Every structure is written in C-alpha cells, then in structure tokens.
Amino acid sequence: MAKKQKKPMNEMSFMDHLEELRWVLVRSTIATLIAAVGIFFFSDFIFDQVIFAPTQPDFWTYRFFCDLAQQLGVSDICVTEMDFVIQNTDMEGQVTMLIWTCVAGGFIAAFPYILWELWKFISPALYEKERKGAKVFISVSSLLFFMGVLFGYFMIVPMSVNFFATFKVSELVKNEFNIDSYMSMVKTSVIACGLFFELPIIIFFLARLGLVTAELLRKYRKYAIVGVLIVAAVVTPPDVVSQIIVSIPMLIIYEASIFIAAAVVKKKKIAEQNEKLNG
C-alpha cells in the first residue's frame, strides 16, 4: 500500500493542522510513557538518592550555602537537622505517587524528543534558512530546559524544603508533611524552572509572530524583577546572599529574552527593507 504523502503547508486546512498536532501529542505521549517505564526500574535509586535527598542536612546545596556563609562572615545558615517527617495517609498514596513520579520523570527524559516533534510541526511555517537550524534549536532548547531542571532541583527545592521545615507558627505544632504535598512541590519546582528557562526560545517565536517586542518586555521588567525577588525571598533563608544567588539566573534569562526579541525585530525590519528595495 502506498504511503500517504504529507500535504504542503500552504495546502493544509485547519483540520489538517489539528490532525498533525494530534499526532505530535500522541507520539510525545508515547515517548514519555516509554521513558517512564525505563525510570520505573530505577525508582528505588531515584526516590532515595534524588527525590528525598534535599530532606537530608548533608545535601549539596545546604553544604554550599554553609561554606559560603562562613567565607563571607555572614550569619550562620548551616543546616544541621531537618525537624519534620514525611508521611503517607492514603491507602493508594504511594502507588499513585510512584506512577506519576515516573511519568514526570519520563517527560523530563523525553523532552528533547518532544522538542523535535514540535519543531517538525512548526518548521513548515519558517523560512528555509530557519528550517536548517533544527539541530541548534533542539540542542539549545534541551540545554536550557535541563539547566532549569537542575536549577530547580539544587536551588528552589532545597531552599523551599528548608524554609517550610523550619517555619512554625508555634513550637507546639510539629511539621508532618504529606508525601503528596512534598512530591507536588518537587515536581512543580523542577518542571516549572525547566520550562521557565525556555523563555528565550518562546520569546523568539513570539517575536517572530509579532506578538512580543523588546519594548514590551522592558516595560514589564520592573514587575518581573519584583516577582523574581519575591520568589527568591520566599524559598531562601533570610539572608541577602542566598536571595541573590537564586535571583541572578532568573533575571539573566529575562534579560536574554529582551535581547532576543530586539534582535528578531531588527532582523525582520532589515528583511522588509530589503524586500522593498528589491521589489
């Protein structure tokens, strides 16, 4: 049986585009589930040595801030104990947690492939020169995502755990966190940071479509700075050094997005001027 040929972009109807998007989602979901099955076989290591590692006082981040504070001569912020317990209160709680943790891990592991599927979907709308940048797009986007995941895991998660573990409205109240709450915080922090680090890529395409400009991003820069500082103040110990370390990468990402939006708009204007001169 002859293989069905894919229609050219300009000949595809709205329903054809929806069908293409549906298959992108189907293939991405399958890739995520395959990766989730692979992660299942390493679940003991992932839970004990990765997910619950930030609950230990000797976690890398706590030791880093402790050494840094001692070198700078600021107030002692060393973590010596974690005065809380993580408990499960639902009959099927641990089974459900295992399944969704594997799925979340599968999404992270399969992210480069998901990017490749998205690239194949949007590439017909790009110029020929831009289509040749597939490897660059996949590499840079994957790198930014994994950098965000690591930032979330080594900075946001342990700082959040330390904050909520030490925060008490009264000494009479003991912290006993539900495992669902802990896992939700870990997954949200890690994946959200990974996606936030994709901001320059998202801005690139939005700027290409004329939906975002550098002027607009500069206009809302002060609100972005306030938002980043609030997040940093919430998840870090009450010292300026920790807040700055957490804030700087996020602010750099935002400033890089402004630079990218400006470059895209400038390139579009030059292309339009060349078309007028040649036309």
Side-chain angles (χ1 to χ4, degrees), residues 26-43:
V26 168
R27 290 190 293 267
S28 299
T29 301
I30 292 174
T32 299
L33 293 178
I34 292 174
V37 172
I39 288 174
F40 172 78
F41 292 103
F42 300 94
S43 59

Side-chain angles (χ1 to χ4, degrees), residues 254-273:
Y254 191 84
E255 291 299 323
S257 300
I258 295 177
F259 175 80
I260 289 172
V264 170
V265 172
K266 182 179 179 180
K267 187 176 180 180
K268 285 180 65 177
K269 289 181 178 179
I270 293 175
E272 290 173 357
Q273 291 174 357

Side-chain angles (χ1 to χ4, degrees), residues 3 21 32 59 84 121 136 138 143-144 153 166 184 189 209 245 253 275:
K3 185 179 178 180
L21 180 59
T32 299
F59 187 62
F84 71 94
F121 179 72
V136 175
I138 301 299
L143 178 62
L144 288 173
Y153 176 72
T166 56
S184 177
S189 299
L209 296 173
I245 291 176
I253 290 292
E275 287 182 2

Side-chain angles (χ1 to χ4, degrees), residues 19-169:
E19 179 68 11
E20 281 291 314
L21 180 59
R22 184 175 75 88
W23 279 108
V24 167
L25 296 176
V26 168
R27 290 190 293 267
S28 299
T29 301
I30 292 174
T32 299
L33 293 178
I34 292 174
V37 172
I39 288 174
F40 172 78
F41 292 103
F42 300 94
S43 59
D44 289 342
F45 172 81
I46 290 174
F47 277 101
D48 294 339
Q49 304 299 324
V50 179
I51 293 176
F52 292 119
T55 66
Q56 303 302 316
D58 62 347
F59 187 62
W60 179 87
T61 304
Y62 306 136
R63 289 187 284 109
F64 169 77
F65 279 109
C66 179
D67 294 340
L68 182 63
Q70 291 175 352
Q71 291 176 10
L72 297 177
V74 299
S75 58
D76 187 12
I77 59 172
C78 296
V79 177
T80 57
E81 64 176 341
M82 288 290 187
D83 187 20
F84 71 94
V85 296
I86 299 176
Q87 60 181 352
N88 174 53
T89 57
D90 297 328
M91 182 75 73
E92 72 285 359
Q94 295 198 51
V95 175
T96 303
M97 178 196 63
L98 173 62
I99 293 173
W100 284 110
T101 300
C102 289
V103 171
F107 171 77
I108 294 173
F111 193 76
Y113 176 80
I114 296 173
L115 286 174
W116 172 247
E117 286 291 340
L118 291 174
W119 176 263
K120 289 194 298 183
F121 179 72
I122 65 175
S123 60
L126 303 176
Y127 295 116
E128 183 64 28
K129 291 182 179 179
E130 293 171 329
R131 291 195 200 109
K132 295 179 180 179
K135 292 182 179 180
V136 175
F137 169 77
I138 301 299
S139 300
V140 173
S141 299
S142 299
L143 178 62
L144 288 173
F145 177 76
F146 290 125
M147 286 174 59
V149 167
L150 292 175
F151 178 76
Y153 176 72
F154 283 106
M155 288 296 172
I156 303 299
V157 170
M159 294 296 98
S160 298
V161 170
N162 183 43
F163 173 78
F164 291 115
T166 56
F167 181 84
K168 291 183 179 181
V169 295

Side-chain angles (χ1 to χ4, degrees), residues 151 155-156 196 225-233 235-236 240-254:
F151 178 76
M155 288 296 172
I156 303 299
F196 177 78
I225 293 175
V226 171
V228 167
L229 292 177
I230 290 175
V231 171
V235 302
T236 59
V240 178
V241 176
S242 302
Q243 294 172 14
I244 292 176
I245 291 176
V246 171
S247 301
I248 286 178
M250 303 176 76
L251 294 176
I252 289 176
I253 290 292
Y254 191 84

